[in-house]
Amino acid sequence: MTSPTHSNDAYPYLRAASAGVRHHTRALAPSDTGPPRPTDRLHLDVLHAHLTFVHQLLDRLAETTRPPHPAAGRRLASAHTHLWQAASEVHAAFHLLPNSTVADGEASACRPDRLPEGPPVLTICQRHLASGHVVRRKTTPTDLRAHTTACAR
């Protein structure tokens, strides 16, 4: 009998999510049918959600790995910080994209209640601020230097 970590059906949802990201990446590649479509706010919102969920997964993996394997736990914690930095940059890019439904002065402001899609249960700004609180509790200020959770755009 094989162990679950070597089985072909171990972690099926994580593999499915990875396959979805690979498919999307290939779909965005330039093709003969024309130039790729530029990124929009909805695209970055979905990407930010994905990064945030992977960030949470890394946090849990680091917590469970650290006691029996400290060096591996530290590496996972480092990946956790880097992924937060990536999510932070995606959030910043979201606010830099044009918004056709709002005047230019309001488009860059971080106002979750005024997003063009309406105030969903969890907007990109709310999600980013919530994950930022978790990061600040578990990460040193030096690790987070230049990466804030405030929406000052």
Side-chain angles (χ1 to χ4, degrees), residues 109-125:
C110 187
R111 296 287 312 264
D113 57 326
R114 291 189 181 174
L115 287 177
E117 303 83 24
V121 175
L122 190 61
T123 66
I124 187 171
C125 298

Side-chain angles (χ1 to χ4, degrees), residues 121-133:
V121 175
L122 190 61
T123 66
I124 187 171
C125 298
Q126 290 168 333
R127 182 186 323 111
H128 193 69
L129 290 170
S131 62
H133 290 296

Side-chain angles (χ1 to χ4, degrees), residues 21-122:
V21 170
R22 278 193 307 273
H23 171 76
H24 188 69
T25 301
R26 283 192 301 268
L28 287 175
S31 66
D32 296 334
T33 61
R37 195 176 85 189
T39 301
D40 59 9
R41 284 181 149 205
L42 181 59
H43 186 177
L44 291 184
D45 185 23
V46 172
L47 178 61
H48 185 271
H50 186 78
L51 289 172
T52 302
F53 289 129
V54 173
H55 180 260
Q56 290 172 2
L57 177 61
L58 270 174
D59 183 38
R60 290 185 183 141
L61 288 172
E63 290 297 319
T64 59
T65 304
R66 189 173 289 133
H69 308 285
R74 282 191 301 274
R75 289 293 185 158
L76 289 173
S78 178
H80 174 261
T81 301
H82 291 298
L83 193 57
W84 165 252
Q85 293 168 342
S88 185
E89 293 302 323
V90 168
H91 175 252
F94 174 90
H95 288 291
L96 294 175
L97 287 178
N99 183 354
S100 61
T101 61
V102 181
D104 285 341
E106 294 181 24
S108 63
C110 187
R111 296 287 312 264
D113 57 326
R114 291 189 181 174
L115 287 177
E117 303 83 24
V121 175
L122 190 61

